[in-house]
Amino acid sequence: MNQCFATVARGLEALATQELEQLGANAVEPGFCGVAFEGDRALLYRANLWARLPFRILVKLHEFPCRDAEALYRGIQTIDWSQYLTPDQTLAVSATGKYEQLNHTHFTALQVKNAIVDQQQEAFGDRSNVETQAPDVRINVHVDRGHCTVSLDSSGDSLHRRGYRPAMGAAPLKESLAAALIQLSGWQPEQMFYDPLCGSGTLPLEASLKALNIAPGLFRDRFGFETWLDFDPDLLEQLIQEAEASQRDRLPAPIWGSDHSEEVIQQAISNAQHCGVLDHIWFSPMELSDVVAPADNGVLFCNPPYGERLGRDSDLGAFYKLLGDVLKQRFKGWTAFVLSGNKELSQSIGLKSSQRIAVYNGTLPCQLMKYELY
């Protein structure tokens, strides 16, 4: 049984806990910016393939007291690295957290790398090369209050980079955050979904993947665990086939996106093509002032600009007022969710929110505001 830790954006720990429990994880425990859990190899592969919220799934190897660089080096050398890494494989080390004597993550990572390759050199007369971009084995060390946790990163590239989105507009939402917002809203695939400020399409695309039960990991070139010494290709292939077989053929309700820019709509269409939902989803260029409700009821979602995104000279206050007017006058019977990182601007919407949920967009504190439109 592997002891694992899924790293997630701050504030999404409880939501990620639910997701991992649904995937079959055991002993699930939310922490700070992540969730600890246990599971076998199949669960590890499944979590990477299916989880929509985490950035990385780390597999814990060892934990030891660590108050300075020397203790760190010694602790790393107590691990038999030949179980995880051969000298002809490449490695990368990432470090997080700090302690009095270990307050520079680059130095911490360097010390860990040195301990590993020194052990290899002594045992084999050869050592792994460092490869920061696509290493065969990615090692994560976390230093916290005089303790060091050493893990293998089973994901490789961050899981939020689904692989379906080569085309991106300005300031796009991370796919994992878009999935979390949809989850937080309580939207169900039987309800129409519309984003009138869709940019390169992240929110409608994540809604489509959820509604069609498409595993987000299917678009990736590879996972980190695929170059591990104990990788089981047959097991991964079986899980991929099961995931593909469980996809739905059609959306229960329409999913639409529009944006004033023809260029970003082309990007959204390209992204929809990459994740195989182009035939299911509708994207069109449209000014916000021309937007009308396409059905009697549904869920409207949008992430309007909250600062530099439209340029400094734009009158964002007027833009938010227009958004409020469109919601008020044309979307009666709908529920709207607006993500805003600017409290002052959100007041220009001129509607009373029935709920506000605190979330982080990167490091920026934001609010997901819910409006019941009668």
Side-chain angles (χ1 to χ4, degrees), residues 272-333:
Q273 201 163 8
H274 273 92
C275 62
V277 299
L278 187 57
D279 295 344
H280 301 273
I281 200 168
W282 181 87
F283 283 120
S284 177
M286 194 185 299
E287 292 293 339
L288 179 60
S289 54
D290 296 329
V291 165
V292 292
D296 291 341
N297 56 63
V299 174
L300 180 145
F301 237 103
C302 65
N303 173 33
Y306 25 87
E308 304 280 295
R309 208 173 76 173
L310 279 188
R312 293 176 188 191
D313 302 324
S314 304
D315 185 357
L316 285 178
F319 185 79
Y320 272 69
K321 185 183 181 305
L322 172 62
L323 175 61
D325 290 346
V326 168
L327 295 179
K328 239 181 311 205
Q329 294 158 17
R330 304 176 193 173
F331 280 84
K332 286 184 172 66

Side-chain angles (χ1 to χ4, degrees), residues 2-155:
N2 295 306
Q3 282 189 296
C4 303
F5 190 78
T7 66
V8 298
R10 186 175 166 188
L12 300 183
E13 297 91 347
L15 214 55
T17 298
Q18 288 172 12
E19 181 177 52
L20 288 161
E21 283 173 343
Q22 284 163 3
L23 288 170
N26 301 309
V28 186
E29 194 67 49
F32 177 68
C33 289
V35 181
F37 66 98
E38 291 178 5
D40 59 10
R41 188 179 299 168
L43 189 276
L44 178 69
Y45 292 6
R46 195 181 299 115
N48 275 286
L49 191 60
W50 278 101
R52 299 180 194 276
L53 306 186
F55 296 133
R56 300 182 179 282
I57 311 287
L58 305 175
V59 178
K60 185 169 154 185
L61 297 186
H62 190 36
E63 193 175 11
F64 55 90
C66 172
R67 300 191 171 275
D68 55 28
E70 194 183 324
L72 175 64
Y73 184 93
R74 281 199 314 270
I76 295 297
Q77 284 223 321
T78 61
I79 300 167
D80 177 6
W81 287 99
S82 66
Q83 293 182 56
Y84 310 107
L85 182 69
T86 60
D88 60 349
Q89 287 182 301
T90 57
L91 88 155
V93 180
S94 63
T96 55
K98 292 179 181 179
Y99 191 64
E100 291 161 14
Q101 304 292 315
L102 292 164
N103 56 12
H104 197 295
T105 53
H106 181 70
F107 172 77
T108 300
L110 198 60
Q111 190 76 344
V112 170
K113 184 269 294 180
N114 288 341
I116 295 168
V117 299
D118 287 355
Q119 187 190 92
Q120 288 182 314
Q121 199 74 50
E122 199 174 317
F124 307 107
D126 197 5
R127 51 152 286 186
S128 294
N129 288 326
V130 172
E131 163 60 63
T132 54
Q133 294 308 306
D136 293 319
V137 179
R138 198 184 288 268
I139 295 146
N140 177 277
V141 290
H142 181 66
V143 177
D144 181 41
R145 288 173 291 194
H147 262 79
C148 178
T149 305
V150 187
S151 305
L152 295 184
D153 181 345
S154 72
S155 303

Side-chain angles (χ1 to χ4, degrees), residues 173 181-182 193-199 203-204 258-259 288 299-306 309 319-320 323-324 327 335-341 349 367-369 371:
L173 275 182
L181 296 175
I182 291 165
F193 184 104
Y194 182 30
D195 180 353
L197 306 171
C198 72
L203 279 161
S258 62
D259 196 280
L288 179 60
V299 174
L300 180 145
F301 237 103
C302 65
N303 173 33
Y306 25 87
R309 208 173 76 173
F319 185 79
Y320 272 69
L323 175 61
L327 295 179
T335 303
F337 290 89
V338 179
L339 180 68
S340 179
I349 292 173
Q367 287 192 317
L368 181 64
M369 298 174 296
Y371 299 100

Side-chain angles (χ1 to χ4, degrees), residues 208-281:
S208 299
L209 296 184
K210 180 181 165 78
L212 293 165
N213 200 41
I214 296 174
L218 288 174
F219 310 104
R220 294 168 64 87
D221 291 335
R222 72 172 183 121
F223 295 102
F225 60 74
E226 290 185 54
T227 41
W228 289 5
L229 298 179
D230 68 352
F231 172 50
D232 184 342
D234 294 338
L235 175 59
L236 179 61
E237 185 53 37
Q238 180 197 329
L239 291 169
I240 287 171
Q241 285 178 9
E242 285 172 8
E244 287 172 342
S246 73
Q247 292 178 14
R248 298 192 185 104
D249 295 332
R250 52 195 295 272
L251 290 173
I255 293 177
W256 283 22
S258 62
D259 196 280
H260 76 99
S261 163
E262 285 204 33
E263 188 187 340
V264 300
I265 287 297
Q266 284 309 313
Q267 291 175 353
I269 288 168
S270 164
N271 293 335
Q273 201 163 8
H274 273 92
C275 62
V277 299
L278 187 57
D279 295 344
H280 301 273
I281 200 168

